[in-house]
């Protein structure tokens, strides 16, 4: 089955700096990669996703890059704000999309 | 359009009791997924259901756990004879038909504590 690894497990940045979270996956058949943000005690919320036919996708301060050859994808948050503080999860899924394999999460702390 | 609903939000059970977790998908969604999240860990897939059908239960423990999604009513995750190791947050997600499982919208979760 698929194995998704995520690094770092914790990340602390100063407000205004950039944050980068990296994930690797093992199943070359995976072709859909969503990122979720989970605030303490709340539900995971989709913030951005990318499909395998695209190398990069941006949405305002958030971007995701995908390297299919190396089987890794990354989340980039620019101009971080305190409200970005949360746990971020990457996930990978195959073409039939019937289940997501999640990374172990990155706890991002943005210091004001 | 109400989001994915789960109840109860918190559930306390003694060892050996049964736990029933309910999930009402978003309106129009016919696919339901259950995930378990242990403290400080990521979400682990348990089961994927469509109305009246279990499509993929590869993540479900073989014993004590069962799931259903009847024609009418919410999806139910049932844990019999709970043990302390079952303490976790259980999230369900739903997606619309034809989406292929993308756009999974998560409910607020049920936090199960086994004492």
């Amino acid at each position: 089955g698929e194995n998704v690894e995520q690094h770092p497990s914790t990340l602390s940045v100063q407000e205004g700096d950039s944050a980068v979270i990296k994930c690797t996956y093992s199943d070359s058949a995976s072709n859909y990669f969503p990122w979720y943000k989970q605030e303490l005690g709340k539900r995971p919320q989709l913030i951005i996703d990318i499909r395998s036919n695209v190398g990069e996708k941006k949405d305002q301060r958030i971007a995701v890059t995908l390297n299919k050859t190396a089987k890794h994808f990354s989340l980039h948050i620019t101009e971080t704000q305190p409200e970005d503080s949360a746990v971020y999860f990457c996930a990978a899924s195959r073409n039939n999309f019937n289940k997501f394999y999640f990374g172990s999460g990155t706890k991002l702390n943005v210091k004001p | 359009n109400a989001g994915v609903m789960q109840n109860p939000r918190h559930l306390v059970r003694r060892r050996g009791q049964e736990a029933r977790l309910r999930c009402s998908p978003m309106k129009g969604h016919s696919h339901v997924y259950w995930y378990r999240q242990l403290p400080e860990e990521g979400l682990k897939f348990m089961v994927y259901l469509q109305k009246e059908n279990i499509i993929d239960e590869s993540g479900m423990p073989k014993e004590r756990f069962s799931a259903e999604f009847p024609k009418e009513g919410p999806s139910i995750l049932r844990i019999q004879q709970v043990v302390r190791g079952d303490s976790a947050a259980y999230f369900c997600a739903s997606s619309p038909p034809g989406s292929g499982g993308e756009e999974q919208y998560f409910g607020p979760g049920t936090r199960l504590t086994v004492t």
Side-chain angles (χ1 to χ4, degrees):
Chain A
E2 174 67 280
N3 182 41
V4 177
E5 295 193 354
Q6 183 170 347
H7 300 281
S9 55
T10 59
L11 179 59
S12 191
V13 299
Q14 207 66 39
E15 181 177 0
D17 287 350
S18 295
V20 180
I21 302 170
K22 298 182 180 181
C23 287
T24 61
Y25 62 99
S26 60
D27 187 353
S28 55
S30 290
N31 59 3
Y32 175 67
F33 307 93
W35 285 88
Y36 284 83
K37 175 183 179 183
Q38 186 178 30
E39 296 176 11
L40 189 63
K42 297 196 175 177
R43 74 186 75 195
Q45 293 199 301
L46 178 69
I47 55 171
I48 196 166
D49 57 12
I50 191 166
R51 291 171 181 77
S52 58
N53 58 347
V54 175
E56 183 176 359
K57 184 176 177 180
K58 278 186 181 180
D59 182 4
Q60 299 182 351
R61 297 186 297 109
I62 294 173
V64 57
T65 58
L66 171 65
N67 183 325
K68 281 181 62 181
T69 304
K71 295 207 277 289
H72 68 69
F73 55 114
S74 301
L75 178 71
H76 304 251
I77 306 174
T78 58
E79 300 172 24
T80 53
Q81 301 166 2
E83 50 265 38
D84 294 330
S85 295
V87 179
Y88 291 79
F89 292 98
C90 63
S93 178
R94 277 185 155 205
N95 195 40
N96 57 354
F97 297 126
N98 67 349
K99 57 192 167 191
F100 290 168
Y101 294 90
F102 282 88
S104 53
T106 296
K107 187 173 184 179
L108 173 65
N109 179 34
V110 179
K111 294 178 285 188
Chain B
N1 188 8
V4 179
M5 308 290 285
Q6 286 186 253
N7 68 81
R9 295 292 308 278
H10 300 273
L11 182 61
V12 180
R13 283 288 178 266
R14 290 198 181 96
R15 279 179 298 171
Q17 290 185 320
E18 179 180 288
R20 278 180 178 247
L21 289 62
R22 294 175 190 79
C23 169
S24 296
M26 287 179 71
K27 188 176 180 181
H29 287 195
S30 56
H31 303 226
V32 166
Y33 311 80
W34 285 93
Y35 294 85
R36 176 163 63 177
Q37 185 177 34
L38 294 171
E40 309 292 322
E41 292 189 13
L43 292 88
K44 296 283 193 281
F45 168 80
M46 298 181 76
V47 61
Y48 161 45
L49 309 103
Q50 294 180 16
K51 285 282 186 184
E52 299 185 282
N53 281 306
I54 297 175
I55 307 301
D56 183 344
E57 56 182 348
S58 58
M60 286 271 275
K62 298 296 181 202
E63 297 177 354
R64 302 189 297 108
F65 285 72
S66 62
E68 62 177 9
F69 188 16
K71 188 176 180 181
E72 301 291 337
S75 175
I76 297 188
L77 179 67
R78 183 180 176 207
I79 311 172
Q80 295 178 289
Q81 300 174 327
V82 296
V83 301
R84 287 223 173 99
D86 296 332
S87 295
Y90 291 83
F91 289 92
C92 79
S94 72
S95 66
S99 72
E102 289 185 23
E103 303 176 50
Q104 289 189 22
Y105 296 90
F106 282 82
T110 293
R111 278 150 186 84
L112 173 65
T113 303
V114 179
T115 62

